Amino acid sequence: MAAPSSRILASAAEKVGTAARRQALTLTEAAAARIRHLLQRRQRPFLKLGVKARGCNGLSYTLNYADEKGKFDELVEDKGVKILIDPKALMHVIGTKMDFVDDKLRSEFIFINPNSKGQCGCGESFMTTSSAEAAKHDGNSR
């Protein structure tokens, strides 16, 4: 009896682990369609999401094409597209929804990030609790 129950628990844990990994980033249909178009046009398998230290609030998103998955990259497969998340960006983007807006005024990816604790007025940069604490720590060490 112990063997079947341990297999059931292992199977459940695997499903929970997989579900948790899927939550790193979700895409809207509009974002998935745009990413699919871009990847097909460039003949690339992946789009890679990262964050870079810049802007009024400290961090901004980066998107680049990638040919292969890095050792520590998080792979997200959603709506038929594959996105890699840079390991340094993962803690800043967990739970983020990525959308794409294309109207008369703009054509851009939008990130709805539950970790964002502040954004600059133009929307180009953001701050998370982790980045705010790091900035405060760097400021105190000078």
Side-chain angles (χ1 to χ4, degrees):
M1 193 72 144
S5 65
S6 64
R7 269 186 264 143
I8 291 169
L9 287 174
S11 175
E14 184 177 307
K15 287 177 184 173
V16 167
T18 303
R21 282 194 297 273
R22 275 192 222 125
Q23 295 303 312
L25 180 74
T26 57
L27 304 174
T28 64
E29 287 296 336
R34 182 63 177 167
I35 292 167
R36 194 175 301 109
H37 169 76
L38 292 171
L39 291 175
Q40 286 172 351
R41 197 167 86 192
R42 292 287 183 120
Q43 298 289 304
R44 294 291 189 56
F46 305 107
L47 196 63
K48 187 167 185 173
L49 173 64
V51 295
K52 193 174 207 176
R54 70 173 178 221
C56 316
N57 267 347
L59 296 173
S60 64
Y61 300 102
T62 62
L63 287 170
N64 294 295
Y65 295 103
D67 291 318
E68 59 187 44
K69 180 184 179 297
K71 185 176 181 179
F72 298 107
D73 289 344
E74 180 77 15
L75 174 62
V76 174
E77 294 184 62
D78 192 11
K79 296 176 181 59
V81 296
K82 295 177 182 177
I83 299 202
L84 300 174
I85 301 176
D86 186 281
K88 291 175 267 172
L90 191 58
M91 71 178 177
H92 300 291
V93 301
I94 289 219
T96 295
K97 180 185 271 188
M98 186 175 175
D99 194 6
F100 181 72
V101 176
D102 188 14
D103 59 30
K104 291 179 182 178
L105 297 176
R106 60 190 175 155
S107 181
E108 64 185 349
F109 286 104
I110 306 281
F111 297 90
I112 299 107
N113 187 341
N115 306 303
S116 179
K117 301 300 177 205
Q119 219 173 286
C120 67
C122 64
E124 291 293 318
S125 66
F126 68 101
M127 177 189 322
T128 63
T129 302
S130 300
S131 64
E133 288 170 2
K136 192 161 79 172
H137 177 69
D138 288 347
N140 291 339
S141 65
R142 289 183 183 163

